């Protein structure tokens, strides 16, 4: 039997799709709620709907009374009396509104909060909630339904003393047609009895509808073509290496190579949980560089060699297709060196900006300079790996016949060097030509109030509002000096020094975004941050992070990431949910989400291409949240901030961190002057209905301080 799921542009849709397929053991097909135009309803939508055994209508942002938010859903209810339907959240609200109930805004909005669901068993004659009673359900809604007509029968409720009617309806059915709905989200990681609910509904379906098995090739269905079908093994690639035992650290090595005019791209795991550092060594006039520039007027890819000017550009349809096409021909399935498993054996290394992600409106996005790169990557053939829990280095090359370079590099590193000696605590110790321009609290409070309006209207569950600080720094101060000071002040597991011709990133990020290999993928979102002090102990900080506000923030992003993975994979797990981790004097609430590529036609690059911007930097639902944030942030690009940096190795192992607690610079930035370069630091936080303006501004200041302390 084939099942239809109507998606309302929610960021939890594929969690629901996976739950449906697991509970029913049947195929589920998804479409967007605006897939059919009104003039197609009778001629195309009706016969399309009749192919399915049942219909699920998913959650989404907006209001059930607004046609632009609900699309085809009212027509579906009005013209499918013979098809069983189960609506979730927005789908439930449309059902109730369609048949005469009132919909009103809650006095106290519930986003990511867990409540007990109680069942009206005497009304549940078909057993939708059979085996379920007094169970936990996650609520994501600002609107509720009241004043049922005789066409609707309530099936479940929750007690909410903040509302006029303390019994808030959580489920209902139509008195005659096989239409059901639930207000809570059964697909959430913290909801109970979700599978039981779906199984019960499907039992009802099978008692009413004939078996259908539809092979659909309809253009309205949500499908993603893999960026490549398989990786082609490069028969010409050979890894050559020299092993070195040394007390040098990766920063020392970069400085030693600088003596020989050798540029470096450094991913430096300065602190736990990082285990390896990677020093990419671009070859002058040989190493391939990819520069993607996306604006209102152009979507172009420059390909050139390191140190050469960008001249040749090509208009492209998809940056991701170009990247995948290049990498699939260079697959080299080696993952060990000298018997030790290593993360990187050559490949792409660089940064992908926030604007490389989905849902950006380039028509209204402001320009901050000429040809600012949206993404910047270099294909690395020479590199050095450092195992951080030992003194072991591997000097490596996948460039044919590179023995002379390997031997020469080994000889260069048989020296003593201490790059971090005499590094000042602040760049102010190196120059007086430094000014800092921070966002004002007045401006922040105004944007915060707008966020609250959107949240209470149901346009979003969570909005990650950010702003930028500008540092005007003496041009004589080099990016390498900036990196050393920041690393001294804020050592981080995902530290990075990435200096390209048209952008520079100095990162001290604590947050992994996404890691993958041929078998699995892992994401580690951070949501919830507390700074310890003399007046705030570890125990008190933990209590704050266990509050309903902080847990709701983290839960929403976990559910969003599960959705991103279920978009491609059938096996997704959450081995760590809301675990408290400590970095220096900062406590953070961290979750781990993993997916398996077993049986999948997709790979990690498919997931990366559809998962940006990182959900922890947008909020949920992602599409609506990104659109709202762009307006709230005055159409200013976030640039490298809120993007990701990392690598994609030719052995198809990849690791990317979220660009936070970082500073970055563009040589073409409009804010540069004759005597100063503009360095930017972005900071922000997730705003929910439980947030306060003062609390969020203070949290933003804590995050800003981690990078800004290098300049103060």
């Amino acid at each position: 039997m084939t099942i239809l799921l109507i998606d309302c542009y929610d960021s939890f849709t594929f969690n629901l799709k996976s739950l449906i397929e697991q509970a029913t053991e049947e195929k589920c097909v998804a479409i967007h709620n605006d897939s059919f135009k009104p003039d197609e309803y009778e001629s195309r939508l009706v016969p399309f709907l009749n192919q399915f055994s049942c219909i699920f209508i998913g959650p989404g942002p907006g209001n059930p009374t607004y046609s632009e938010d609900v699309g085809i859903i009212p027509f579906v209810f009005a013209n499918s009396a013979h098809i069983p339907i189960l609506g979730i959240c927005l789908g439930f609200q449309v059902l109730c509104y369609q048949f005469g109930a009132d919909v009103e805004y809650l006095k106290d909005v519930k986003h990511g909060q867990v409540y007990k669901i109680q069942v009206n068993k005497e009304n549940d004659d078909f057993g939708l909630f059979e085996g379920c009673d007094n169970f936990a359900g996650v609520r994501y809604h600002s609107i509720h339904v009241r004043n049922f007509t005789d066409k609707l029968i309530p099936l479940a409720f929750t007690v909410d003393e903040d509302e006029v009617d303390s019994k808030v309806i959580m489920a209902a059915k139509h008195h005659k047609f096989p239409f059901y709905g639930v207000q809570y989200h059964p697909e959430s990681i913290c909801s109970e009895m979700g599978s039981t609910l779906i199984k019960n509904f499907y039992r009802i379906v099978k008692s009413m509808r004939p078996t259908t098995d539809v092979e659909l090739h309809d253009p309205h269905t949500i499908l993603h073509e893999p960026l490549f079908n398989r990786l082609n093994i490069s028969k010409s690639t050979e890894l050559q290496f020299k092993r070195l035992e040394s007390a040098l650290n990766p920063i020392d090595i970069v400085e030693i190579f600088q003596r020989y005019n050798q540029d470096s791209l450094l991913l430096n795991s300065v602190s736990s949980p990082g285990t390896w550092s990677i020093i990419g060594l671009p070859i002058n006039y040989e190493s391939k560089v990819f520069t993607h520039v996306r604006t209102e007027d152009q979507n172009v890819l420059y390909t050139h060699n390191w140190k050469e000017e960008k001249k040749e550009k090509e208009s492209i349809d998809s940056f991701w297709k170009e990247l995948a096409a290049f990498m699939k021909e260079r697959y080299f399935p080696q993952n060990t060196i000298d018997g030790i498993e290593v993360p990187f054996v050559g490949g792409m290394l660089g940064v992908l900006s926030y604007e490389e992600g989905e849902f950006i409106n380039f028509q209204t996005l402001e320009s901050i300079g000429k040809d600012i790169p949206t993404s910047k990557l270099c294909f690395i053939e020479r590199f050095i790996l450092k195992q951080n829990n030992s003194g072991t280095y591997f000097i490596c090359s996948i460039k044919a016949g590179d023995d002379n370079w390997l031997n020469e590099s080994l000889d260069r590193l048989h020296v003593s060097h201490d790059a971090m000696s005499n590094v000042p605590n602040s760049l102010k110790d190196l120059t007086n030509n430094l000014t800092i321009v921070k966002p004002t609290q007045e401006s922040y409070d105004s944007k915060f109030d707008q966020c609250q309006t959107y949240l209470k209207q149901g346009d979003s569950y969570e909005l990650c509002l950010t702003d930028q600080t500008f540092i005007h720094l003496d041009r004589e101060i080099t990016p390498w000096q900036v990196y050393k000071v920041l690393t001294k002040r804020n050592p981080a597991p995902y530290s990075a020094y990435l200096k390209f011709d048209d952008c520079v990133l100095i990162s001290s990020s604590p947050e992994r975004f996404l890691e993958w290999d041929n078998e699995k993928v892992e994401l580690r979102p951070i949501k919830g941050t507390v700074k310890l002090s003399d007046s705030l102990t570890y125990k008190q900080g933990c209590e704050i992070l266990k509050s309903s506000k902080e847990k709701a923030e983290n839960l929403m992003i976990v559910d969003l990431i599960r959705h991103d993975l279920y978009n491609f994979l059938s096996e997704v797990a959450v081995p760590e949910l809301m675990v408290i981790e400590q970095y220096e004097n900062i406590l953070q609430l961290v979750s781990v989400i993993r997916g398996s590529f077993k049986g999948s036609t997709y790979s990690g690059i498919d997931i990366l291409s559809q998962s940006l911007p990182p959900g922890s930097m947008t909020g949920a639902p992602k599409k609506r949240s990104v659109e709202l944030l762009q307006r709230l942030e005055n159409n200013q690009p976030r640039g490298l901030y809120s993007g990701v940096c990392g690598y994609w190795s030719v052995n198809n192992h990849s690791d990317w961190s979220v660009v936070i607690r970082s500073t970055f610079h563009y040589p073409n930035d409009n804010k540069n002057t004759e005597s100063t370069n503009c360095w930017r630091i972005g900071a922000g936080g997730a705003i929910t209905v439980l947030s306060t303006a003062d609390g969020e501004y203070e949290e933003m200041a804590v995050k800003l301080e981690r990078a800004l302390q290098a300049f103060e």
Side-chain angles (χ1 to χ4, degrees), residues 527-590:
K527 266 290 164 248
T529 302
V530 171
K531 180 182 179 181
L532 303 181
S533 64
D534 292 339
S535 59
L536 186 68
T537 66
Y538 176 86
K539 182 178 180 180
Q540 291 170 327
C542 289
E543 289 301 316
I544 292 173
L545 291 178
K546 291 177 183 177
S547 68
S548 58
K549 170 190 175 296
E550 302 296 340
K551 290 169 68 176
E553 285 185 22
N554 199 283
L555 171 61
M556 287 184 236
I557 301 308
V558 170
D559 280 342
L560 182 153
I561 289 172
R562 291 173 60 239
H563 158 89
D564 284 343
L565 294 185
Y566 276 131
N567 198 350
F568 299 97
L569 308 176
S570 59
E571 295 183 26
V572 177
V574 183
E576 296 182 33
L577 182 63
M578 303 185 211
V579 175
I580 296 174
E581 294 184 357
Q582 183 170 1
Y583 299 96
E584 301 289 319
N585 63 339
I586 300 293
L587 297 183
Q588 295 177 320
L589 203 59
V590 181

Side-chain angles (χ1 to χ4, degrees), residues 2-6 29-32 35-36 40-55 72 75-76 80 82-83 209 212 214-222:
T2 305
I3 298 166
L4 176 65
L5 170 60
I6 299 175
V29 172
I31 64 170
H32 293 307
S35 294
F36 291 85
E40 298 179 304
Y41 285 3
E42 295 290 348
S43 61
R44 300 189 65 181
L45 179 56
V46 169
F48 178 82
L49 297 173
N50 285 330
Q51 299 177 89
F52 299 96
S53 58
C54 62
I55 300 170
I72 65 174
F75 181 89
V76 172
S80 307
H82 57 298
I83 305 176
R209 291 279 285 169
T212 64
V214 183
E215 281 297 324
L216 279 172
H217 301 284
D218 192 285
H220 298 91
T221 57
I222 302 172

